Amino acid sequence: MDDKHSEGAVIRAYADGPLLVRGDFELRDEAGELIDPGRATIALCRCGRSASKPLCDGTHSLLKKRREP
């Protein structure tokens, strides 16, 4: 990683998937309490159907397979 990104997080959106967060970040709930993600890289849910929100649990991939013929 280059110097301009070494201090903060890098967030990458995946088509029909989660937001992948890498680097230095804090994850907080709606009350402002810290959430320990348990790892340095996390995937944030965008489909709204994850059982472990705000973290992605892969549910989006199951939903996509059901829609495909």
Side-chain angles (χ1 to χ4, degrees):
M1 196 178 298
D2 59 21
D3 286 336
K4 76 177 185 179
H5 291 122
S6 63
E7 294 297 318
V10 174
I11 302 171
R12 181 174 177 191
Y14 285 86
D16 297 322
L19 296 171
L20 206 62
V21 182
R22 291 185 174 106
D24 291 333
F25 63 88
E26 285 185 351
L27 183 59
R28 294 183 178 267
D29 66 14
E30 52 278 334
E33 299 295 319
L34 277 173
I35 297 172
D36 180 7
R39 55 179 98 56
T41 300
I42 62 169
L44 295 174
C45 175
R46 289 196 304 163
C47 76
R49 301 224 165 109
S50 173
S52 59
K53 285 183 252 176
L55 301 175
C56 175
D57 67 2
T59 299
H60 63 274
S61 61
L62 298 173
L63 297 171
K64 182 179 177 185
K65 288 178 185 173
R66 286 187 202 150
R67 288 189 305 237
E68 293 175 353

